[in-house]
Amino acid sequence: MSAEPRINDRIRVPEVRLVGPSGEQVGIVPLAKALELAQEYDLDLVEVAANARPPVCKLMDYGKFKYESAMKAREARKNQAHTVIKEMKLRPKIDPHDYDTKKGHVVRFLKQGDKVKITIMFRGREQSRPELGFRLLQRLAEDVQDLGFIESNPKQDGRNMIMVLGPHKKKTEAMAEAREAQAARKAEAKANPGKSQNAAEEELSEAPVEAPAEAPAEA
C-alpha cells in the first residue's frame, strides 16, 4: 500500500473535519465544500488522519509540503551518526616506530568518535606469552586515555588477543566539530586569498594519512 495520503478528488468520504491553512479548526464540512475552499485558496485538500471519524483533512500546498519533508529527511540522514568500529592489528613485539604509527591511527579514529578494535596477533612461540599482548594493550589504552576508554577488556580469542576502545566523544559531537573546523578553514582561506601555493602544499604534507579501513595494516 502507498504511504502517500489521499488528496483532492482521491478523497472518497461524504464529509471531513477540516483544518485551515494556518492550522485553524474549520469544523466538519461536506467534502464538496472542503474541495471548494481548497480551490478558493489555491491549495490542496490533504487527508492527514484517515482513521478518524470523519477523516481529518487540511488545506495546504502539498507539493511544497513534500519538498520540505524530503529536505528535512535528507538533512537528518546527513547528520545521522553511524556507529563504526575500526580495527588495528599489532604484534606483541612491535617496534617503537610502528607502535607510534598505529597509535596515531587509533588517536585519529577516537577523535572521529569511532570505536577501535585492537587485535594482538600471536605467532609460533609467542602464544605461550599472552602477558606480552596484555601489557601492550594496557600501554596503548593508557596512551590514549584522554580520548578513549576500555569498552571491552583484553581477552584471548584463539591466536589473538582483543580489546575494544570506546571514544569519550560522541560521534555526533565529532562530526559537528569537524564541520566547524572545515568552515573555519574555508573562512580563513577566503579572508587570505593571497596565501601561497607552497604554504598550502606544506599543510597537505603535514596532514595525517589515513590507513585503509577495509584492510588494516599489520605490524
Side-chain angles (χ1 to χ4, degrees):
M1 296 179 62
S2 173
E4 294 281 334
R6 293 186 293 183
I7 66 172
N8 300 327
D9 294 337
R10 292 174 55 197
I11 302 172
R12 305 287 185 177
V13 290
E15 58 185 16
V16 299
R17 185 178 297 277
L18 186 63
V19 179
S22 299
E24 69 276 17
Q25 297 290 330
V26 178
I28 298 176
V29 300
L31 176 62
K33 177 64 176 178
L35 290 171
E36 182 181 328
L37 289 172
Q39 288 185 337
E40 289 181 7
Y41 282 103
D42 193 23
L43 295 172
D44 299 299
L45 181 66
V46 182
E47 190 177 60
V48 295
N51 294 328
R53 291 292 179 268
V56 179
C57 294
K58 184 176 181 180
L59 298 174
M60 68 172 75
D61 184 336
Y62 187 59
K64 180 180 178 181
F65 170 76
K66 284 185 66 177
Y67 173 77
E68 291 177 348
S69 297
M71 292 301 294
K72 289 179 181 178
R74 179 181 177 183
E75 188 66 21
R77 288 193 299 270
K78 180 180 177 181
N79 295 327
Q80 187 176 7
H82 297 283
T83 301
V84 177
I85 299 181
K86 303 289 188 177
E87 183 174 13
M88 190 58 56
K89 295 181 178 180
L90 297 84
R91 292 289 306 281
K93 297 179 180 179
I94 187 171
D95 67 63
H97 174 74
D98 286 344
Y99 175 81
D100 289 339
T101 298
K102 298 208 170 185
K103 182 181 71 174
H105 292 317
V106 173
V107 166
R108 176 165 46 82
F109 294 149
L110 293 173
K111 283 184 176 180
Q112 293 172 351
D114 294 322
K115 297 181 181 182
V116 188
K117 176 184 175 183
I118 313 296
T119 302
I120 304 294
M121 302 178 298
F122 297 96
R123 294 178 181 173
R125 288 182 293 179
E126 292 175 345
Q127 297 179 60
S128 63
R129 300 288 304 279
E131 68 277 7
L132 296 178
F134 182 81
R135 285 201 296 264
L136 181 57
L137 291 176
Q138 289 293 321
R139 173 189 172 189
L140 180 58
E142 291 175 4
D143 286 347
V144 300
Q145 60 183 340
D146 291 340
L147 299 171
F149 61 95
I150 298 178
E151 184 174 285
S152 178
N153 288 316
K155 62 180 180 180
Q156 196 78 23
D157 182 15
R159 296 184 177 183
N160 300 328
M161 182 175 287
I162 296 171
M163 176 182 72
V164 177
L165 296 174
H168 291 312
K169 188 182 301 181
K170 293 182 179 179
K171 184 73 172 180
T172 50
E173 295 174 357
M175 292 171 63
E177 289 183 4
R179 286 195 295 270
E180 290 175 3
Q182 184 179 25
R185 288 194 297 269
K186 288 182 179 179
E188 183 180 357
K190 186 176 181 180
N192 301 279
K195 188 174 183 180
S196 68
Q197 181 66 28
N198 289 338
E201 291 176 354
E202 183 178 341
E203 286 187 358
L204 288 174
S205 66
E206 293 176 354
V209 179
E210 294 193 3
E214 66 276 9
E218 296 186 5

